[in-house]
Amino acid sequence: MNGISRRGLLTWSALTGSAVASGALVTPGLATASTAPDHSRTSPITTVGPSDPRYPALTRGQNQRWVSTPEQVHIPRTTKEVVTAVSKAVSSGKKISVRSGGHCYENFVDRPDVQVIIDMSQMTAIDWDSAKSAISVEAGAPLGDVYYTLFKRWGITLPGGSCYTVCAGGHVLGAGYGGLSREHGLISDHLYAVEVVVADENGVRAVTATREQGDPNRDLWWAHTGAGGGSFGIVTRYWFRSPQGGSTPKTALPAPPREVWVHRSQWAWKDMTQAGFTRLLRNYGSWLEDNSATGSPYTGLFSRLELTTVGSGAFHLVVQMDAGKPDAEALLNAFLAAVNAGVGVQATVTDHRRMPWLHASGWPGMWMSNPTDRYKYKSSFHRRGFTDAQISAFYEKLTATDYAQPPFVVSIASYGGRINTLAPGDTAHAHRDSVMLLLWGTAWQSSADDDLHLGWHQDFYRAVYADTGGVPVPNENTDGCFINYCDIDLSDGGLNTSGVAWHDLYYKENYARLQQVKQNWDPDDVFRHAQSIRLP
């Protein structure tokens, strides 16, 4: 080891202990308020090995394609226990990975060579830290708990994702977004500080980094505003206060809308012509180009156009609109009319109602989560609407009868608004002038069908971006990919023939700076996976 001092290892190895706890792993309830973490706890860290009945459930995440066989799974409850677990693994040369909510799309956690998994699911505290004048959220806290706790205690929120079971750990540092992001930015844009267990030249230790300009650790904070997980250390907790936030809990973060409109409509494939489909995609992309500026009255509108294969019978549009905006319902109806103009097929409305924001945040129209499937996802940012060639490829593939997989969807989310007020280098998230973010996904059950689904998915994606080497390279129309929707195919020279490396699709001009942060905080590359930040 070049960067980890013997003193650092000895200091923490003295604290190392292991035991198999008798209690079952508990998933916190969505409405349960978390208590402050007990940092004085000294009992041995919970450790699960292959003979433990919990082992099969703790060696896989949501994606059933990936199952690991680590020697141990550690389940810490304090930062001190995370340091202990990492110290023990590093001192014995074990390869480490970390899991919070288990939603990693690739095998970056459950990879074949991992020997120790740090499971953060029991670190779930959410509280006010008066010393930092910020909300403290531990890495294992699910987003549903975060929303309920912040709202019910203080009437505030964070503009994060819509899937309640995703945890803060991986979501925040990958620059997560959601239904309030066009109005309030990305969740990481509200990050004031982060606590990270690192393994640098001073040993394995917990470091706190803030956004304060004079903080000597500020580069570590910056890297956790969009670089994704598994590259620099293990996040144990975040502190949130908006850049213009106040010093009290009720003013530190934005308030959510009092109420929102939710809408869902669909178009039947049997009635849709190629001309109508082409018009619909042009309408949607053009509308987002024209209505994604910071000062637009539509920053309170978030939408997803969900394109499916013809075998599903219909594809649909889901929308959330801040009901507190002037003429909110009229604005919503004008948007719906603009998307449907000239399509020749009238959309069928299946849901249209006004409700309190807290209830709408769990509206199933915006999210689903199935931990029993095998799946594959891809992503793409668009600065403009779709080109004619891209629309033709969408139509050809989605209407083909050789692949009628109902779970397949290309979810085209509205982006921009407040997200695009920052410069690409202000945070690690460099995609600051896009108007759309696409999530391409499919799910299945049997491993025997892997090649079928993966191959079709890859062919479809490459067909849409055929003019740029099979991927959405940064240019006037597209702007790369989203690290939270990680995709190992971007590293495959046979699938990505653009000449643009995977790390430039994710990070663009920020990659060299991220490499320097890696050098500073993880010089021995302790925290790594197939698409982690590389040492310079």
Side-chain angles (χ1 to χ4, degrees), residues 390 461-471 497:
Q390 288 167 349
Y461 188 80
R462 282 183 49 77
V464 171
Y465 300 111
D467 292 342
T468 53
V471 296
T497 59

Side-chain angles (χ1 to χ4, degrees), residues 473-515:
V473 302
N475 60 24
E476 63 179 4
N477 294 312
T478 53
D479 197 36
C481 302
F482 183 38
I483 185 58
N484 267 5
Y485 298 160
C486 55
D487 177 13
I488 198 64
D489 292 347
L490 301 177
S491 304
D492 187 332
L495 298 173
N496 172 9
T497 59
S498 68
V500 179
W502 61 267
H503 48 75
D504 293 328
L505 293 170
Y506 287 138
Y507 307 116
K508 303 199 299 179
E509 301 88 350
N510 288 341
Y511 187 61
R513 183 177 174 186
L514 288 169
Q515 287 185 289

Side-chain angles (χ1 to χ4, degrees), residues 55-56 58-61 65-73 97 99 107 109-117:
Y55 184 84
L58 299 181
T59 52
R60 69 189 71 197
R65 289 175 63 203
W66 314 123
V67 179
S68 56
T69 56
E71 296 171 13
Q72 294 177 323
V73 178
S97 67
R99 188 192 327 278
N107 70 340
V109 177
D110 294 301
R111 59 182 189 268
D113 65 342
V114 69
Q115 295 163 299
V116 175
I117 294 178

Side-chain angles (χ1 to χ4, degrees), residues 65 374 444-455:
R65 289 175 63 203
R374 307 171 71 82
W444 63 99
Q445 287 75 46
S446 173
S447 60
D449 296 328
D450 284 1
D451 290 346
L452 167 66
H453 298 295
L454 291 172

Side-chain angles (χ1 to χ4, degrees), residues 48-64:
V48 171
S51 63
D52 191 285
R54 292 168 293 177
Y55 184 84
L58 299 181
T59 52
R60 69 189 71 197
Q62 288 250 326
N63 191 345
Q64 297 301 301

Side-chain angles (χ1 to χ4, degrees), residues 182-384:
R182 280 168 55 91
E183 193 160 8
H184 295 298
L186 303 170
I187 192 170
S188 51
D189 295 343
H190 299 263
L191 182 65
Y192 172 72
V194 60
E195 182 179 69
V196 190
V197 173
V198 300
D200 66 357
E201 62 183 9
N202 296 308
V204 177
R205 60 197 178 109
V207 175
T208 298
T210 75
R211 67 170 176 241
E212 299 292 346
Q213 291 294 334
D215 187 343
N217 301 331
R218 192 177 190 275
D219 65 334
L220 188 62
W221 164 85
W222 179 83
H224 286 79
T225 60
S231 290
F232 309 104
I234 297 178
V235 173
T236 53
R237 58 176 162 169
Y238 299 102
W239 287 268
F240 295 98
R241 177 170 22 99
S242 301
Q244 288 77 43
S247 58
T248 65
K250 292 185 178 180
T251 61
L253 293 171
R258 180 184 177 92
E259 294 180 307
V260 295
W261 285 97
V262 295
H263 174 94
R264 185 183 186 280
S265 53
Q266 64 183 34
W267 293 267
W269 269 117
K270 64 181 179 61
D271 299 326
M272 185 61 63
T273 64
Q274 184 169 1
F277 180 85
T278 300
R279 181 65 181 267
L280 178 62
L281 260 62
R282 282 180 182 161
N283 288 347
Y284 188 68
S286 296
W287 189 94
L288 289 173
E289 284 185 45
D290 296 340
N291 294 278
S292 295
T294 304
S296 169
Y298 279 106
T299 55
L301 183 145
F302 177 76
S303 61
R304 289 185 181 277
L305 179 60
E306 308 275 1
L307 302 180
T308 61
T309 57
V310 68
S312 66
F315 60 94
H316 58 273
L317 174 70
V318 293
V319 191
Q320 175 183 293
M321 177 71 189
D322 182 347
K325 296 289 186 183
D327 302 316
E329 188 177 20
L331 288 171
L332 170 58
N333 289 335
F335 162 72
L336 297 172
V339 172
N340 210 72
V343 172
V345 179
Q346 187 59 44
T348 301
V349 177
T350 58
D351 200 351
H352 184 91
R353 49 191 161 138
R354 181 170 177 160
M355 64 176 66
W357 168 82
L358 186 64
H359 293 78
S361 69
W363 182 51
M366 284 293 183
W367 72 283
M368 63 174 291
S369 181
N370 187 342
T372 67
D373 283 340
R374 307 171 71 82
Y375 55 75
K376 173 66 180 178
Y377 286 103
K378 293 177 171 291
S379 71
S380 47
F381 283 103
H382 280 245
R383 287 170 158 154
R384 296 182 179 176

